[in-house]
Amino acid sequence: PTAYKHFAAVNKLDPDDAYTWLRLGSVHPDGATSDAARACFEKALVLNPNLNEARFRLAGCLPATDEGDRLRTLLLADFQ
């Protein structure tokens, strides 16, 4: 929770920093695969579509369904 608080404070200062959104999702108190973390990874990718770590983290948040598998394939297509 402490790391999350620090990144949240930085995020308030610069909400357009993709790396801060990535870190917020990675240390989210609800877990790095929670819906809240997923929203952070999505925001990071909106701000920087080339942020590969955010792609990997977001892919890890997707459900094990046909739709989740399809989206995971799209997210990771450049790495296969």
Side-chain angles (χ1 to χ4, degrees):
T2 302
Y4 181 81
K5 289 179 185 178
H6 290 296
F7 284 118
V10 171
N11 184 259
K12 286 184 181 183
L13 296 173
D14 188 4
D16 294 326
D17 181 52
Y19 290 95
T20 302
W21 283 104
L22 171 64
R23 297 297 171 233
L24 272 173
S26 299
V27 299
H28 200 281
D30 292 340
T33 59
S34 67
D35 288 342
R38 179 180 175 172
C40 292
F41 301 140
E42 289 173 347
K43 180 67 175 181
L45 285 172
V46 166
L47 295 169
N48 182 350
N50 298 315
L51 189 54
N52 292 332
E53 187 176 348
R55 283 182 179 200
F56 283 113
R57 297 280 184 157
L58 181 56
C61 292
L62 297 173
T65 62
D66 288 343
E67 180 66 10
D69 291 344
R70 187 184 69 76
L71 292 173
R72 196 173 357 274
T73 299
L74 290 173
L75 280 169
L76 303 177
D78 294 339
F79 305 101
Q80 297 176 354

